[in-house]
Amino acid sequence: MKKSPILVDFSLLRLNPHFRSIFIARMISVFAFGILMVAVPVQIHQLTGSTLQVGAAMALDGVGMFAGLMCGGVLADRMDRRRLILLGRASCGLGFLALALNGFMTNPSVTALYVVSTWDGFFSGIGITSLMASIPVIVGRENLPAAGALSMLTVRFGAVLSPLLGGVIITAAGVNWNYLLAGVGTLATLIPLTRLPSLKPQNVEISHPLRSLLEGFEFLWQNKVVGAVVAVGTLQTLLSAVRVLYPSLAEDGYGGGAFEVGLMYSAVPLGAMLGAFTSGWVGGLRRPGAMMLACVTASSLAIASLGAFTHLAYGLAALVALGYLGSIASLLQFTLVQGQTPDHLLGRVNSLWNAQDVVGDSLGALGLGALARALAPLFAVAWFGAGAAAAGLMMCVGFGSLRRLAGGHGPEAEGEPAQQASGS
């Protein structure tokens, strides 16, 4: 029996030119979005001095993203996904250039920032959904673990460096140059993406858009595996809300300040990068669903353990572990959702899967923020983690189909017809 490698497999970049084009475009895009992500809140705060208005812009981006995911899911199962990817990227790039133009004006408009935040979220949602639905076709379902790990490595690497780069640009030249570079960079991703082949979905069935979206919900409800994956993914997303407690934990729990908060924010991405880089073994798992359940439950326990630590070093170690476990769980989510969903539903299922990310993170932040008002930070994080761990254990017991799922690369991976797996 061939032993699975530990490190992520980079051979897909060498052997698959279409995936290589996506990888290059994604790398550029991650840095473009990263330097923009820093610029928008900074400029709004400079213009208004209001934290509330900064939050409003972020909320509008989330609203636009949610709407784009819903529309993009339906469109990606009807139209050429390549065209939708190009539309999403081109529209975002033009929006960023509009922000640069607005910034160079004598009196920049705050309304323009709100409008483009919504525009950006909407077209990002369309582009993301179409791209995700295209990956199984481009790389083949047998290569999904490697493709997911490489994509995750790109995102994690960019998430660490691009905000730092954005801050340097703002300090040296001003936020207008962030917008200009983000716009040019995003439009530059069209060059490699135009090399993609036509990506028309299979077995297209045209129905009313709302009915079409409802079919995606029905698939999640009926398919015991994919529905369970999305439910477990929602719990994993809720766990990411722990970051709202970093300032309180650093000050009241560990006796630190801004420097310690920065270390805590860096610890999770560091663990996630380690997870993505050493994830070569994931593709050879015999029980990927059971491993995903175990990772999410262990992530919850890592958060709960933060309440037992009064020394920063132990807290940072727990957060690195949280990042590592989260990256493995996310990679398994990607592999199972993409691998177990029929092609004609990939757009809608990916839109719903990504939408739970947007909603789950917001709900987790609100819930944990409310809990922190009633309890001391160490108690709040301990109870939050313990509750999530209890939910994870219940999922381990309740999602038997996911727990028993054998390793494979398609809707028939359980060793039974796709119709049976879907409960039909």
Side-chain angles (χ1 to χ4, degrees):
M1 180 175 171
K2 187 177 179 180
K3 188 176 180 180
S4 298
I6 295 177
L7 299 183
V8 64
D9 184 5
F10 287 90
S11 63
L12 198 58
L13 292 173
R14 176 172 52 85
L15 299 174
N16 191 318
H18 298 316
F19 180 75
R20 186 165 61 246
S21 296
I22 290 176
F23 183 87
I24 293 170
R26 195 177 182 97
M27 177 67 81
I28 298 171
S29 181
V30 164
F31 276 88
F33 278 92
I35 63 176
L36 180 93
M37 180 180 65
V38 178
V40 172
V42 167
Q43 187 177 32
I44 292 178
H45 196 269
Q46 287 175 347
L47 294 174
T48 68
S50 170
T51 303
L52 178 61
Q53 294 203 49
V54 173
M58 299 300 180
L60 287 171
D61 181 80
V63 170
M65 173 74 78
F66 185 85
L69 289 171
M70 295 298 99
C71 293
V74 174
L75 293 173
D77 287 338
R78 298 183 178 204
M79 300 173 58
D80 187 341
R81 291 162 181 166
R82 174 182 179 273
R83 292 185 178 181
L84 292 171
I85 294 169
L86 295 175
L87 171 66
R89 291 300 175 89
S91 300
C92 286
L94 293 175
F96 302 156
L97 292 181
L99 285 180
L101 180 62
N102 177 64
F104 282 114
M105 298 178 79
T106 305
N107 296 306
S109 168
V110 177
T111 302
L113 289 165
Y114 289 150
V115 171
V116 177
S117 290
T118 310
W119 169 283
D120 168 40
F122 180 79
F123 284 103
S124 291
I126 288 179
I128 288 169
T129 302
S130 303
L131 182 62
M132 296 283 282
S134 302
I135 294 296
V137 178
I138 289 172
V139 305
R141 295 182 189 260
E142 71 279 3
N143 291 315
L144 284 173
L150 290 168
S151 297
M152 187 182 300
L153 192 61
T154 304
V155 172
R156 301 302 184 188
F157 182 72
V160 173
L161 294 184
S162 59
L164 176 62
L165 178 60
V168 170
I169 295 171
I170 291 173
T171 303
V175 294
N176 305 332
W177 287 95
N178 287 59
Y179 297 140
L180 186 60
L181 289 173
V184 171
T186 302
L187 292 176
T189 63
L190 297 175
I191 298 173
L193 290 174
T194 53
R195 300 172 187 166
L196 297 179
S198 176
L199 296 166
K200 294 180 180 179
Q202 301 171 7
N203 305 318
V204 177
E205 295 181 4
I206 303 298
S207 58
H208 189 280
L210 291 179
R211 174 58 194 166
S212 183
L213 187 60
L214 181 60
E215 289 172 359
F217 280 105
E218 290 175 346
F219 175 78
L220 292 181
W221 180 259
Q222 295 172 358
N223 189 291
K224 297 177 182 179
V225 171
V226 180
V229 170
V230 173
V232 176
T234 302
L235 178 59
Q236 182 72 38
T237 301
L238 290 172
L239 296 179
S240 67
V242 71
R243 68 187 185 281
V244 305
L245 283 182
Y246 289 170
S248 298
L249 286 171
E251 183 176 346
D252 301 330
Y254 306 135
F259 176 72
E260 286 73 16
V261 173
L263 289 177
M264 294 177 75
Y265 271 105
S266 299
V268 173
L270 174 61
M273 282 186 63
L274 291 173
F277 190 68
T278 59
S279 61
W281 53 275
V282 171
L285 284 172
R286 295 181 59 189
R287 290 287 184 267
M291 177 58 74
M292 188 180 73
L293 287 163
C295 284
V296 174
T297 305
S299 295
S300 305
L301 294 174
I303 289 178
S305 71
L306 290 172
F309 298 137
T310 55
H311 194 284
L312 178 65
Y314 296 111
L316 292 176
L319 291 174
V320 170
L322 174 64
Y324 178 88
L325 292 166
S327 70
I328 299 301
S330 296
L331 176 56
L332 288 167
Q333 276 186 71
F334 170 84
T335 303
L336 293 174
V337 169
Q338 305 297 85
Q340 296 288 320
T341 303
D343 181 80
H344 70 282
L345 284 166
L346 274 170
R348 283 162 286 178
V349 171
N350 272 292
S351 73
L352 296 172
W353 174 41
N354 282 281
Q356 60 87 21
D357 246 357
V358 177
V359 175
D361 184 63
S362 299
L363 292 177
L366 287 173
L368 189 52
L371 186 63
R373 288 177 64 89
L375 300 172
L378 290 176
F379 285 107
V381 75
W383 278 107
F384 178 72
L393 289 173
M394 286 190 287
M395 288 181 174
C396 289
V397 174
F399 294 151
S401 295
L402 177 61
R403 190 180 66 250
R404 295 187 296 271
L405 178 70
H409 307 290
E412 295 79 26
E414 285 187 280
E416 57 185 5
Q419 291 83 358
Q420 292 180 25
S422 300
S424 38

